């Protein structure tokens, strides 16, 4: 596989995940990190389709990777925001099932500047595993993991708003590493 194509896919996945996590956090009810989220929104790259070139006839030519969602960037953004709102609604119903001591522990781990991003992803994975064991749901495992990862990000940011950027980055990285195929599937299914 061409390295450039692979990097384009990675950039597309990261954009989708950034938008999904950001949209989820925006859609959550009762959050105390509004200012931090607004500032983060200004720092995130604007939505663009990767690897597109403007042709002389005014159309866009794309050398995109296989599996790219066939939709213009605006409608794709709308689809991802819609998915984020739906996941936030599910998360609101699960919100009370997240133990405060788990959130406290994860916030403390994220606050430790000496921990690597890989350590932080493991901390998030460990917290998710505890939640999955303690609170089985009737949803499929990938959807449950995605909602709980997003919900943990929200809970940590609510607990300590100054950690929003850290928990956002860790959550995006975790999703891209562990749930990338599921997120791609979600976005493809919504555009069909």
């Amino acid at each position: 596989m061409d390295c450039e194509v692979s990097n384009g896919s990675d950039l597309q996945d990261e954009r989708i995940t950034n938008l999904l996590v950001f949209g989820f956090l925006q859609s959550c009810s009762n959050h105390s990190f509004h200012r931090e989220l607004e500032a983060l929104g200004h720092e995130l790259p604007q939505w663009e389709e990767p690897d597109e070139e403007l042709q002389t006839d005014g159309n866009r030519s794309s050398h995109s990777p296989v599996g790219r969602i066939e939709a213009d960037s605006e409608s794709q953004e709308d689809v991802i925001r819609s998915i984020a709102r739906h996941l936030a609604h599910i998360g609101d119903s699960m919100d009370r099932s997240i133990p405060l001591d788990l959130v406290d522990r994860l916030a403390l781990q994220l606050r430790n500047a000496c921990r690597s991003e890989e350590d932080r992803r493991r901390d998030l994975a460990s917290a998710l595993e505890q939640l999955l064991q303690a609170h089985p749901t009737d949803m499929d495992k990938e959807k449950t993991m995605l909602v709980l990862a997003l919900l943990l990000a929200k809970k940590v940011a609510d607990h300590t708003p100054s950690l929003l950027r850290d928990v956002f980055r860790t959550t995006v990285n975790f999703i891209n590493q562990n749930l990338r195929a599921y997120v791609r599937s979600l976005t493809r299914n919504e555009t069909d």
Side-chain angles (χ1 to χ4, degrees):
M1 175 185 269
D2 184 319
C3 184
E4 188 173 324
V5 170
S6 176
N7 289 341
S9 177
D10 290 345
L11 288 174
Q12 177 74 353
D13 288 337
E14 183 147 347
R15 285 185 180 107
I16 289 170
T17 308
N18 279 342
L19 186 58
L20 182 68
V21 175
F22 187 79
F24 179 91
L25 293 172
Q26 274 187 318
S27 299
C28 285
S29 59
N30 304 327
H31 60 73
S32 63
F33 49 86
H34 179 73
R35 275 185 283 150
E36 290 82 0
L37 189 62
E38 191 174 298
L40 178 64
H42 293 295
E43 295 171 13
L44 292 175
Q46 294 299 311
W47 186 261
E48 298 173 15
E49 289 295 319
D51 301 320
E52 284 192 352
E53 298 171 6
L54 190 58
Q55 295 179 341
T56 56
D57 63 0
N59 291 321
R60 296 219 176 254
S61 168
S62 180
H63 307 288
S64 298
V66 175
R68 177 180 164 257
I69 298 170
E70 295 299 328
D72 67 3
S73 61
E74 187 176 323
S75 65
Q76 185 177 16
E77 182 175 346
D78 292 341
V79 164
I80 295 166
R81 288 186 189 280
S82 175
I83 292 168
R85 282 189 302 273
H86 175 71
L87 295 173
H89 179 71
I90 294 169
D92 284 344
S93 69
M94 298 170 70
D95 192 273
R96 290 189 179 98
S97 69
I98 308 291
L100 187 57
D101 64 323
L102 183 76
V103 174
D104 289 339
R105 191 169 44 253
L106 186 57
L108 184 63
Q109 292 165 331
L110 290 172
R111 195 177 298 131
N112 184 346
C114 296
R115 297 184 63 74
S116 70
E117 185 58 32
E118 184 58 35
D119 290 337
R120 291 169 186 227
R121 274 196 307 271
R122 276 191 293 245
D123 295 338
L124 179 58
S126 175
L128 282 170
E129 193 59 41
Q130 290 174 41
L131 288 173
L132 285 170
Q133 289 175 2
H135 304 287
T137 68
D138 57 351
M139 292 186 289
D140 61 61
K141 184 176 180 180
E142 288 87 3
K143 186 173 190 175
T144 303
M145 282 181 64
L146 180 60
V147 171
L148 288 174
L150 294 167
L151 193 52
L152 275 172
K154 179 226 183 231
K155 298 290 273 187
V156 167
D158 261 342
H159 180 274
T160 312
S162 64
L163 288 176
L164 176 66
R165 284 177 179 79
D166 293 329
V167 74
F168 180 88
R169 182 181 59 248
T170 299
T171 304
V172 165
N173 290 337
F174 175 84
I175 291 169
N176 283 337
Q177 187 175 41
N178 298 287
L179 298 167
R180 180 182 305 196
Y182 180 74
V183 170
R184 281 182 186 163
S185 173
L186 269 179
T187 54
R188 265 195 302 268
N189 290 340
E190 286 293 317
T191 57
D192 290 343

